[in-house]
Amino acid sequence: MHLTTRVRDGLKEAARQPDRGDISITTVIIWVAAVAGALAIAGTIAVVIAKYNGQLNGL
């Protein structure tokens, strides 16, 4: 009984204030792209270092 009252009150409040500061889908897409880009760059650097590791030891 108490739970249904809380849910009902929450839905009423959400209807009264539609913009509650939720993260937009655009923000999520930007964050996912940024993380994927960072991982791709780090992976590329790791591959290059692994490939040329023997040659870099003499420097």
Side-chain angles (χ1 to χ4, degrees):
M1 207 58 178
H2 180 67
L3 181 61
T4 57
T5 304
R6 294 272 299 161
V7 170
R8 190 178 310 119
D9 291 345
L11 290 174
K12 285 180 185 176
E13 182 66 20
R16 191 173 71 78
Q17 293 180 334
D19 184 16
R20 298 182 328 214
D22 293 337
I23 297 175
S24 69
I25 190 68
T26 306
T27 304
V28 173
I29 291 171
I30 290 170
W31 274 103
V32 168
V35 170
L39 289 174
I41 291 169
T44 302
I45 291 171
V47 167
V48 169
I49 288 176
K51 183 176 180 180
Y52 295 106
N53 195 23
Q55 295 175 3
L56 292 174
N57 285 336
L59 295 178

